[in-house]
Amino acid sequence: MRTPHVVAVMGVAGTGKTTIGPLLAARLGVPYAEGDEFHPQANIDKMSAGIPLDDADRWPWLDAIGTWADGRHGLGGVVSCSALKRSYRDRLRATAPGIVFLHLTGTRELIEDRMSHRRGHFMPAALLDSQFATLQPLQADEAGVCVDVSGSPEEIAERAVRALAALPDTPQ
């Protein structure tokens, strides 16, 4: 990519944001930030109890991610963030206008299978339906790309690099 972008790796739980994000960051030579680490403890407690977050829970989290992304302006970076709704992506863009999105996509069956093999993660597979119900895929007017999550993490990261490289240069 010619301009150092900040890439938000988005998608429902279980698509591999935390796995693909660091691989992508390494390939792009930029730092990675784990979006889950921006959640206040109250959000983690709520999700751990199987309770989906509402928008009021998400605003401070999105603002913290946006602030990190804006701080990487012109330098580049990769951050994981579910960014399931257009309004969430709009909020991130309001703080970090040059942010681009990498939407990791896959079948519900594949994602549920991957989630069933995770250990120690606060997001239970039981919340997957709420994630899919909330998801508003990237629109044509949003800077970003979609990449399928079938295959190995290395294959997915390589597809992501190629897809992002094909994006027109967006000003940071």
Side-chain angles (χ1 to χ4, degrees):
M1 293 168 45
R2 291 168 290 172
T3 302
H5 295 281
V6 174
V7 179
V9 181
M10 64 168 280
V12 300
T15 53
K17 296 181 295 290
T18 300
T19 301
I20 303 307
L23 291 173
L24 178 62
R27 282 171 169 75
L28 298 176
V30 297
Y32 170 74
E34 170 53 56
D36 286 342
E37 292 178 9
F38 292 89
H39 274 297
Q41 187 61 46
N43 285 6
I44 293 171
D45 293 345
K46 198 171 183 179
M47 289 183 285
S48 295
I51 303 166
L53 300 179
D54 59 28
D55 287 351
D57 297 320
R58 288 187 180 94
W59 298 140
W61 172 64
L62 291 166
D63 291 343
I65 291 172
T67 299
W68 181 87
D70 189 54
R72 299 298 310 160
H73 174 81
L75 303 170
V78 174
V79 61
S80 59
C81 175
S82 54
L84 297 178
K85 287 185 182 179
R86 170 73 185 245
S87 62
Y88 304 162
R89 297 187 298 272
D90 289 345
R91 186 142 182 153
L92 289 169
R93 277 190 292 269
T95 305
I99 198 166
V100 297
F101 294 90
L102 168 63
H103 182 183
L104 299 178
T105 63
T107 65
R108 188 190 187 295
E109 295 74 26
L110 173 64
I111 295 166
E112 185 175 35
D113 180 63
R114 288 183 178 174
M115 285 183 82
S116 71
H117 293 94
R118 293 198 305 195
R119 299 291 172 247
H121 194 277
F122 61 81
M123 176 67 87
L127 290 182
L128 188 56
D129 287 334
S130 73
Q131 294 260 301
F132 273 108
T134 301
L135 177 64
Q136 296 171 338
L138 282 177
Q139 300 300 302
D141 66 332
E142 294 184 271
V145 296
C146 295
V147 172
D148 182 75
V149 297
S150 58
S152 73
E154 292 75 20
E155 291 168 332
I156 299 163
E158 196 51 45
R159 280 197 300 269
V161 168
R162 286 194 308 271
L164 289 164
L167 278 176
D169 234 6
T170 353
Q172 276 269 30

